[in-house]
Structure formats: structure tokens, C-alpha cells
Amino acid sequence: MVIGHRFFGTTGTASAPFNGGRTTTHEVGHWLNLLHIWGDDDNGCNGSDLVEDTPNSGGPNFQTPTFPRLSCSNGPDGDMFVNYMDYTDDKSMFMFTRGQVARMDATLDSARSTFNGA
């Protein structure tokens, strides 16, 4: 995992639209065993992030989408572009799902257990 200084943190060289600290949140999500919400299948609508409560997306979302952003027959709510595991601007990201939190917890109890004292 490598994070460029222009996309890390909220001050200094961090620049909009990636100056809200969300790039780090996204990358730590990967470190804790989360996948992108579209399942990295090149816009095929067949991928999975292996988490039940995130709807599949046709691919990454960019900038600041408006609700709903539909793909992969995932209406009426559409893509969960507010999720940290998408590619939107920092101001659009604000959540992990309960399933993603459970997956990260499971990783902290297994592969990354040295980080939580387990």
C-alpha cells in the first residue's frame, strides 16, 4: 500500500478533492480485507466485494455523484457511492456497512490479530 502525499491527510500538501483523509480510510479498508464495492470485474456487474449488505456496482464512481446512481439493476437505491471503498471525492464518502465492519473485525481477529492484542 502506497499513499501519495497529495492524497494523505487533511492538511499540508493534501489537495482537494482528496483532502478529507478518505484515501487513507479506503487504503486501510483494503489492508483490513475489504474489496472495492464493484468487485473489480471491469464493469461487468458480476464481481463481488464478498459483503452481503453492499449492493453490486457496475464499476467505480468518481467525483460527486447524485442519488440515485443506478447500475447492475441495483435500483431503486443504486450504487453505494458514499462508501469508503468506492472512488468518489472525499466529500462524498462517509460510511462502511455493518457487513464491512464485521469483515474488518474478523481480519483483526485473524490475519491482523497482532494489531489488536488477540
Side-chain angles (χ1 to χ4, degrees), residues 13-96:
T13 59
S15 58
F18 305 110
N19 59 340
R22 303 306 188 220
T23 300
T24 304
T25 305
H26 176 99
E27 295 304 331
V28 170
H30 284 310
W31 185 77
L32 291 172
N33 203 26
L34 294 182
L35 305 174
H36 295 121
I37 60 170
W38 63 93
D40 296 321
D41 73 342
D42 295 324
N43 302 324
C45 291
N46 296 312
S48 173
D49 68 350
L50 306 176
V51 178
E52 290 295 320
D53 63 354
T54 54
N56 194 23
S57 299
N61 291 283
F62 299 98
Q63 298 172 328
T64 307
T66 57
F67 179 81
R69 165 75 170 75
L70 302 176
S71 69
C72 299
S73 301
N74 61 5
D77 295 327
D79 297 355
M80 191 180 283
F81 59 81
V82 297
N83 194 286
Y84 293 125
M85 298 314 293
D86 203 347
Y87 281 170
T88 57
D89 294 352
D90 282 8
K91 68 181 178 181
S92 296
M93 296 179 174
F94 60 82
M95 68 169 290
F96 286 120

